[in-house]
Amino acid sequence: MAGATRNPEVDAYLGGVGKWRREFEALRAILLDSPMTEALKWGVPCYTFQTKNVVLIHEFKDYCALLFFKGALMADPGGLLIRQSENVQTARQIRFASVQDIAALTPTLKAYVEEAIELERSGAKVKLKAARDFEIPDEFRTRLDADAALKAAFEALTPGRRRAYLLHFSAPKQSKTRASRIDKCAPAILSGRGLDD
């Protein structure tokens, strides 16, 4: 199997990595030993197959990780894949705290990478939860019932934008914080913009 070509942008990126540099280099070596293309996307090393994102390397304070874009479809015989949060539908991480962790798992990681590539090759898709399947917080439901223009504008948004708003409104534990978020976002919804537009 031909390996991926080293991308100069990733070389430059790794030159600036501090705490996790050795781990990134070890993960990169595993990923370069595959038929994927190496790129820098979202500011981190990303590996694609036939232009589709398969896996990326990213860092956090306490660990670095491989993130498999279609990890939810992977078999995960080693029980390594972690769902980063309850709202993540497709991606799954494998986390590492040291180069030794990576070295011990190298054959397993190569098998996971091969599976991820095969999923992409097959065209498999993760069935996403629709925006209508997300719970609407009571505060927002009350607001929509009282404001026909807001309700129409919200329903006209793309499913992804509706989902982002619903997650944003549902996150706070206190009702007054949820209501405050709704108040702040109502003008954007009325103008057809998403949460991050």
Side-chain angles (χ1 to χ4, degrees):
M1 163 171 51
T5 303
R6 296 171 73 91
N7 184 311
E9 290 181 334
V10 175
D11 290 333
Y13 169 83
L14 290 176
V17 172
K19 180 177 180 180
W20 300 108
R21 182 170 181 154
R22 291 178 54 227
E23 289 78 9
F24 269 46
E25 291 285 1
L27 292 170
R28 183 186 195 196
I30 292 167
L31 297 170
L32 286 173
D33 188 25
S34 77
M36 292 189 290
T37 300
E38 182 179 64
L40 195 66
K41 293 186 177 186
W42 305 285
V44 297
C46 181
Y47 298 81
T48 64
F49 181 76
Q50 297 175 348
T51 71
K52 303 290 186 183
N53 299 321
V54 175
V55 61
L56 60 77
I57 306 170
H58 57 160
E59 66 180 309
F60 297 85
K61 181 181 173 188
D62 297 325
Y63 63 90
C64 66
L66 285 180
L67 180 123
F68 291 91
F69 285 89
K70 292 184 178 177
L73 297 177
M74 294 174 65
D76 194 19
L80 302 172
L81 295 173
I82 297 169
R83 187 176 185 179
Q84 200 169 350
S85 75
E86 67 182 47
N87 296 321
V88 173
Q89 295 186 61
T90 60
R92 298 294 184 268
Q93 291 180 333
I94 300 177
R95 297 177 180 175
F96 310 95
S98 70
V99 170
Q100 292 77 16
D101 291 348
I102 297 165
L105 287 172
T106 295
T108 302
L109 296 175
K110 286 184 177 190
Y112 276 56
V113 167
E114 286 176 25
E115 180 184 2
I117 292 168
E118 284 308 312
L119 281 170
E120 204 51 64
R121 184 178 276 133
S122 75
K125 302 241 184 263
V126 177
K127 183 166 172 40
L128 297 176
K129 191 173 167 181
R132 68 180 170 274
D133 296 332
F134 284 86
E135 187 174 327
I136 298 177
D138 291 339
E139 298 82 0
F140 191 47
R141 184 177 305 284
T142 300
R143 183 77 177 266
L144 292 175
D145 290 344
D147 187 338
L150 182 63
K151 183 174 183 176
F154 182 72
E155 290 173 353
L157 293 173
T158 64
R161 287 178 171 160
R162 289 194 309 266
R163 183 172 42 250
Y165 278 120
L166 292 175
L167 292 172
H168 181 64
F169 297 156
S170 298
K173 293 182 180 180
Q174 294 186 5
S175 177
K176 68 179 181 179
T177 307
R178 289 190 296 270
S180 173
R181 284 188 177 189
I182 293 163
D183 290 341
K184 287 179 184 173
C185 293
I189 294 170
L190 287 165
S191 67
R193 295 191 323 267
L195 184 62
D196 298 317
D197 293 350

